[in-house]
Amino acid sequence: MAKPLLLVGQPLLAPLLPLLRADHDVVALWDSLPPERLRDVDALVWAGEFPLTRDLLDAMPRLSLIACFTVGYDGVDLDLARQRDIAVAHAGNANAEDVADHAIGLMLAHRRWIVEGDRQLRAGQWTIETKTRTRSMGGARLGIVGMGAIGIAVAQRAQAMKMAIGWWGPREKPALSWPRAASLEQLARDSDILLIAARADDSNRGMIDRRIIDALGPEGLLVNVARGQLVDEIALVDALRSKRLGGAALDVFDPEPTDPQRWADLPNVVLTPHTGGATHEAVGRMAQTLMANLAAHFAGQPMPSPVMELAQAD
């Protein structure tokens, strides 16, 4: 019996090739593939943050599965996939706990002045006369935008740190014990720290705009571990320069990689290069979930992490 043919979409997924070839025929999109080879593709292995074009889907009439190696799948047009009866899967919550750890780390790094303190010490600017005061985490008001797996994991950690937690999302979640704000703007107004943990799609691009940033205010901290496109970066940089926003701690940008010059002269930011979920352990779980999704799909069984039924979850 012929093995299913998989197309792997991005060079960053190249380490998966030996694993995938154990049970499948595998070709890579970055190789020169003749059109007839694309027509035989049964499943596409994709990094979900990259846009998946209609032209590529048109070239694969046999395609029955888009298997995102990543947790995110914002680059996939779900409506088009539904129209073509193509299943979509992702890595589930494989890195949620690690991203939550990173979010707390970003808050600590900025609010407790860990990064800037390191810079000043190394520059010889620490003297007996200069003693910097920072702000406690306990009692700080944390507003979480998006209460999916990452948002809940952050809230649990923040609760242990005695922070006051609120949240906002487009849908009520009666099972949650933390209060839901009446609006995103109200959440920002009532928060010392605003954490972005929402899934990104075309409907919420730029949702953190000047209005929300101004509501957070000159003492507020904006933390983003979700997707860069959720924040209007031009408005964010302007607010940081004019001190209408107290600070930002960012792991994601729009576009990526970000231009370092955009942040070069902003002392009130902590930046990491989209490493929140990139742990060895999380990547291992993502690979396991990918293989399980592929095996279940080709066996005609329910997949561990289908996307269609989860699209409205956060």
Side-chain angles (χ1 to χ4, degrees):
M1 183 176 178
K3 294 181 179 180
L5 178 62
L6 307 186
L7 175 66
V8 179
Q10 290 83 20
L12 64 88
L13 302 179
L16 295 172
L17 294 176
L19 182 66
L20 294 169
R21 283 175 174 146
D23 297 307
H24 310 88
D25 287 333
V26 182
V27 293
L29 185 59
W30 58 90
D31 293 334
S32 296
L33 297 175
E36 58 269 20
R37 193 61 168 151
L38 285 176
R39 286 197 290 268
D40 292 334
V41 169
D42 297 297
L44 173 65
V45 177
W46 197 252
E49 66 270 27
F50 289 84
L52 177 53
T53 66
R54 182 184 290 262
D55 287 346
L56 181 56
L57 290 181
D58 287 343
M60 298 182 290
R62 285 173 51 99
L63 187 70
S64 62
L65 172 65
I66 300 167
C68 294
F69 174 70
T70 50
V71 171
Y73 48 86
D74 39 294
V76 178
D77 186 334
L78 297 184
D79 290 335
L80 182 59
R82 285 190 185 94
Q83 292 170 16
R84 301 195 178 188
D85 199 26
I86 300 171
V88 182
H90 70 144
N93 298 326
N95 64 6
E97 298 293 330
D98 292 308
V99 175
D101 288 343
H102 197 81
I104 294 293
L106 287 173
M107 294 178 208
L108 281 165
H110 195 288
R111 191 170 175 87
R112 296 306 312 273
W113 221 57
I114 293 171
V115 174
E116 187 60 30
D118 176 83
R119 291 172 184 152
Q120 292 207 1
L121 185 151
R122 291 174 186 275
Q125 297 172 355
W126 180 31
T127 68
I128 198 65
E129 292 83 13
T130 58
K131 188 67 174 178
T132 300
R133 294 178 182 171
T134 65
R135 291 188 176 275
S136 296
M137 301 300 290
R141 300 171 300 167
L142 172 63
I144 302 176
V145 183
M147 266 297 197
I150 293 171
I152 290 172
V154 172
Q156 291 167 340
R157 287 157 172 76
Q159 186 166 283
M161 297 170 71
K162 300 182 180 179
M163 300 175 75
I165 301 157
W167 70 281
W168 180 84
R171 285 162 290 281
E172 295 276 2
K173 293 193 173 184
L176 296 181
S177 60
W178 305 291
R180 176 177 180 259
S183 67
L184 174 55
E185 184 174 1
Q186 189 62 53
L187 180 70
R189 200 173 302 283
D190 293 342
S191 298
D192 300 306
I193 304 170
L194 188 68
L195 169 71
I196 314 305
R199 184 171 46 245
D201 57 37
D202 288 340
S203 70
N204 59 10
R205 176 178 286 275
M207 67 188 294
I208 309 301
D209 55 14
R210 176 169 181 149
R211 178 175 57 93
I212 302 304
I213 292 169
D214 285 348
L216 185 56
E219 298 297 321
L221 170 63
L222 180 70
V223 181
N224 191 4
V225 294
R227 283 287 186 263
Q229 70 198 58
L230 294 170
V231 176
D232 180 342
E233 276 194 6
I234 294 175
L236 172 61
V237 171
D238 180 68
L240 290 167
R241 288 192 193 285
S242 63
K243 302 190 184 305
R244 297 189 343 268
L245 179 67
L250 310 172
D251 185 50
V252 289
F253 305 87
D254 185 24
E256 293 185 355
T258 188
D259 180 357
Q261 291 306 310
R262 172 169 280 188
W263 315 98
D265 59 348
L266 291 175
N268 48 347
V269 295
V270 173
L271 310 172
T272 54
H274 203 155
T275 53
T279 65
H280 293 292
E281 294 81 1
V283 170
R285 290 189 292 269
M286 291 158 70
Q288 291 173 356
T289 303
L290 172 67
M291 297 304 292
N293 283 329
L294 289 167
H297 176 74
F298 289 118
Q301 299 171 355
M303 291 182 293
S305 298
V307 159
M308 302 299 192
E309 63 196 54
L310 302 175
Q312 299 299 319
D314 288 350

